[in-house]
Amino acid sequence: PLAIMLDILLPDASGLGLLEQLKLDAATRHVPVHVVSVVEERTRALALGAASFTQKTADRQVLAGLVEDIRRAQEQTVHSVLVIESDTARCDAIRDLVGNGVVTCETAENVADAVAVFSAKPFDCVICGGTPPGGSMTELLERLAPLARGSLRVIVYAAAPLPAQAVSEWQQQAENTVVRVVYSQAELLEVTSRYLHREEAELREDK
C-alpha cells in the first residue's frame, strides 16, 4: 500500500502495537502510517514512527487536509535531514550512514546555525550529535519546534549514556516534538529509516 490509516482502538489488537510491528518489519517499514483515533496518543504514535496523528473528532476540513498530505507525500522523491554536529569526522560519518540518492543531508555546527538552516527549508528529521554547541538541547527544541512544518522529529546520537530525566524532559517539551536517543550506528540507521519511511531496497548493501 502507498499509505495506511490506522485506528488505535482495534477490536482484536492494540493499534500502537500494530504500528510498532509495521515499523519493525523491513517489508512494511517504508509505508507511511497515519494514525486517526479518539484516543490522545500523539506522542507515542509519532515516536513509534507514525507519519501523522489526527484526532477522530477533527472536522472534515482537517481530515481532507490529511488526505492531501498523503497525496503530496507520494510525490516526494527526496528526503532532507539536518545534521547538527561540530566534529567534522563524526558529522561526515553520520552523513555517509544516512545519506544516499533519496536522502540529502545539510549540516550545522551550533544552535544558531541550526535555527538559520531549519528556518530556510523543511526537513524530515534532525540528527543531533549530543549537546549542541552554543546552547542546550532544550533551547534547540524550543527554537526549532515553532519552525517545523508538522511534527518535529529529533534523533540524538549520543556518544555516552544521557540522564534519563533530561531525556524525559525533552520528550515532553512540545506536543508535536518527538525526541529519540540512540547510541549506535545501527540504532541511528534504524530510527532514521523509520522516520523517513525508507524502503530496504533504498539502502546500500553494506547498510
Side-chain angles (χ1 to χ4, degrees), residues 16 19 35 41-53 151-153 175-178 194-195:
L16 290 176
L19 170 61
V35 177
E41 288 284 9
R42 180 186 304 273
T43 301
R44 287 183 63 193
L46 295 177
L48 288 171
S52 68
F53 181 94
S151 301
L152 172 64
R153 290 177 168 86
E175 185 180 74
N176 285 333
T177 300
V178 177
R194 180 183 298 193
Y195 286 169

Side-chain angles (χ1 to χ4, degrees), residues 89-100:
R90 198 160 186 260
C91 183
D92 289 344
I94 293 173
R95 294 181 64 178
D96 181 64
L97 181 69
V98 304
N100 63 9

Side-chain angles (χ1 to χ4, degrees), residues 40 67 72 91 104 136 165 168:
E40 177 48 72
V67 174
R72 283 199 300 265
C91 183
T104 61
S136 64
Q165 182 176 352
S168 178

